[in-house]
Amino acid sequence: MLALTLLASAQFMLVVDSSIVNIALPSIQADLKMSAAELSWVVNAYVLVFGGFLLLGGRLADLAGRRRMFMLGLALFTLASLLGGFAQSSEWLYGARAVQGLGAALTSPAALSLLTTTFSEGKERNRALGIWGAAVGAGGACGVLLGGVLTSWLGWEWVLFINVPVGAIAIALAPRLLRESVADDAAGIDVPGAVFITGSMALLVWGLVDAEKSGWGSTGTIVRLAVAVVLFAAFVVTEKRVKNPLVPFSIFRNWAVTSANVLNVLLSMTLLAMFFFIAVYLQEVLGFSALVAGLAYLPLTATIVASSQLAGKLVGKLGPKWAAVTGLALLTAGLGWFASVRAGGSYAVDVLGPSLLCGTGMGLSLVAVTIAAMSGTRPQEAGLASGLINTTQQIGGALGLAIIASVAAATTAGFGAGAEHNPQYLTEGFQNGFLLAACVALAAALLSLVLLRSRGTAAAPQAEEHISPASS
């Protein structure tokens, strides 16, 4: 249980860091004298490196040791957080955020693969993944809350400094609580494959996160996405030819893994967009301060945690299919409810109810999809499967925010110059954004009926792997 707490806490910190900086951006801009264009890179530097290196990080965990990569990633993340808090310029902060992203890309897949190799497939692992799902789902919401509290009370630097004691404690406890494990068939790193897939994923995420500002038809967006496709094609060709591929395509023969990652893209598309729209609606339309807006996320966070615990039991009884369908149906209903937000609305009527519905659906679906993604994987593929589910989460989040935010912005812009400063026009944009997110969630619910199995999955053949004692 202590090992699970350590792994879930580390993942919670990484997910929090994806959103905690958002509330602090105005303070960072004023302190470091940054332009609006420069400010976006405080977020993008982290997202690009995190998303780009996840597959490599997952495979390194299998080949070099999961505990070793977990500790190395945490060390990088913690050191970068400390240095970022002392940043005196935009370049300094960008560099720190990029190293944070690299640390997160090494830590996250290693942590999930340690969880899946520590707990046996079935009831025990489902319960563990329920706690993991709570950390992932609640982390996004808690990032806004913690960002508001820390920025208001201590200053923006503390959204980075807060990671230092947490990371240091986790690094100190890891050798005592976690067993090292390395696949016995571990071979050398596929360097060309690593270069191609890392470049492809980084350019894809960059193109997506910048598309809403630069425009989908801009030269920059088209070039980034085109080069990402070319690099991915080169990666596929390379993986088919090398003896020890970075991503053995045999993993996609596991139907549960493939289906879960497809669903995870759609699910993640709705989640990041939802968090973004709620935060902006609370502050720009309802006039909440950063601190009060953060506190307004508490019911959503609590519901995610509670439903994630229920999800593990539900998957055990019904299988991942019906847990996912139920969760996605509730998420669809909640997002549809959010689509009725009003410019003259209130928190109790326009936010609280749909937040509880979305939180319940989010917790159920996140855990069900994660369990399916790790079902039947061989021990030596645990890091790879973890890297895949994290990668599709990052790509889905970036894709969803880019597309859905673009639709909302276009709706608002259609009312003429200055419409983005009018609460009524802003709200109409949010309505269309939430409605599109609901359609994506509904599509995921329908697909889960087709793609997921009703009861578990056939386990893949189990290969031997070397596991050393925790004290090693």
Side-chain angles (χ1 to χ4, degrees):
M1 185 62 187
L2 290 176
L4 175 58
T5 301
L6 172 61
L7 295 172
S9 297
Q11 180 66 14
F12 177 80
M13 178 177 67
L14 302 182
V15 177
V16 162
D17 214 72
S18 297
S19 58
I20 193 172
V21 171
N22 291 330
I23 291 291
L25 289 178
S27 298
I28 294 173
Q29 183 177 23
D31 194 19
L32 299 184
K33 298 178 175 57
M34 300 168 68
S35 67
E38 292 175 324
L39 194 63
S40 66
W41 281 98
V42 176
V43 176
N44 291 349
Y46 179 83
V47 172
L48 291 184
V49 180
F50 188 14
F53 281 85
L54 273 168
L55 278 176
L56 177 59
R59 197 58 178 152
L60 282 173
D62 289 332
L63 302 180
R66 291 156 190 143
R67 187 180 69 182
R68 181 177 293 111
M69 297 312 298
F70 176 79
M71 294 177 66
L72 174 61
L74 272 181
L76 283 173
F77 184 86
T78 303
L79 178 60
S81 297
L82 178 64
L83 295 176
F86 287 114
Q88 301 297 309
S89 67
S90 57
E91 293 79 12
W92 182 339
L93 186 57
Y94 298 157
R97 291 288 286 166
V99 177
Q100 274 190 307
L102 177 59
L106 297 178
T107 303
S108 186
L112 182 54
S113 59
L114 280 167
L115 184 152
T116 56
T117 54
T118 299
F119 297 94
S120 302
E121 187 166 356
K123 183 178 179 180
E124 184 183 39
R125 186 186 293 178
N126 290 350
R127 179 173 174 273
L129 286 173
I131 295 174
W132 178 271
V136 173
C142 280
V144 180
L145 168 60
L146 290 174
V149 171
L150 293 172
T151 302
S152 299
W153 291 355
L154 298 174
W156 70 264
E157 298 89 349
W158 282 91
V159 303
L160 298 173
F161 285 150
I162 190 66
N163 297 324
V164 177
V166 179
I169 292 171
I171 293 169
L173 291 176
R176 300 182 181 184
L177 300 180
L178 303 175
R179 293 184 303 172
E180 182 61 285
S181 62
V182 184
D184 274 349
D185 64 349
I189 290 291
D190 167 22
V191 176
V195 171
F196 288 140
I197 193 61
T198 300
S200 176
M201 291 298 101
L203 283 169
L204 175 61
V205 175
W206 183 10
L208 293 175
V209 298
D210 197 50
E212 195 271 327
K213 294 177 182 175
S214 301
W216 287 95
S218 69
T219 301
T221 299
I222 293 173
V223 169
R224 289 173 202 133
L225 296 181
V227 176
V229 171
V230 171
L231 289 176
F232 185 76
F235 168 73
V236 172
V237 172
T238 300
E239 298 307 276
K240 289 182 176 180
R241 293 181 176 179
V242 297
K243 182 179 180 181
N244 299 300
L246 181 71
V247 179
F249 290 153
S250 59
I251 195 172
F252 296 110
R253 296 185 196 130
N254 184 325
W255 183 248
V257 171
T258 303
S259 301
N261 278 280
V262 170
L263 293 172
N264 196 42
V265 171
L266 296 175
L267 175 60
S268 300
M269 283 179 67
T270 69
L271 301 188
L272 192 57
M274 182 186 73
F275 289 139
F276 173 77
F277 286 136
I278 293 174
V280 178
Y281 176 74
L282 289 173
Q283 294 180 81
E284 298 296 328
V285 178
L286 298 187
F288 285 17
S289 67
L291 176 58
V292 176
L295 293 172
Y297 272 81
L298 278 175
L300 175 62
T301 304
T303 309
I304 293 170
V305 172
S307 61
S308 295
Q309 300 310 298
L310 173 64
K313 298 178 181 178
L314 194 61
V315 170
K317 293 181 178 180
L318 303 177
K321 175 176 182 175
W322 294 112
V325 170
T326 302
L328 288 165
L330 290 172
L331 181 60
T332 300
L335 290 168
W337 189 350
F338 265 128
S340 65
V341 291
R342 302 163 296 156
S346 67
Y347 174 75
V349 175
D350 296 86
V351 179
L352 181 58
S355 289
L356 297 176
L357 204 55
C358 285
T360 303
M362 191 186 310
L364 291 175
S365 51
L366 271 173
V367 173
V369 168
T370 304
I371 289 173
M374 304 304 294
S375 294
T377 54
R378 297 177 297 172
Q380 69 266 34
E381 293 177 335
L384 174 58
S386 304
L388 280 172
I389 195 68
N390 278 284
T391 298
T392 52
Q393 185 178 71
Q394 290 295 311
I395 292 173
L399 181 62
L401 187 57
I403 294 175
I404 297 172
S406 293
V407 169
T411 301
T412 299
F415 291 102
E420 68 273 14
H421 302 299
N422 184 305
Q424 178 62 47
Y425 299 149
L426 265 179
T427 302
E428 294 204 24
F430 297 153
Q431 289 172 350
N432 282 349
F434 279 125
L435 184 60
L436 178 55
C439 291
V440 174
L442 177 60
L446 296 174
L447 271 177
S448 64
L449 284 169
V450 177
L451 297 180
L452 295 180
R453 296 179 180 178
S454 297
R455 281 279 179 183
T457 57
Q462 299 297 300
E464 295 294 325
E465 67 172 353
H466 174 69
I467 299 178
S468 63
S471 58
S472 65

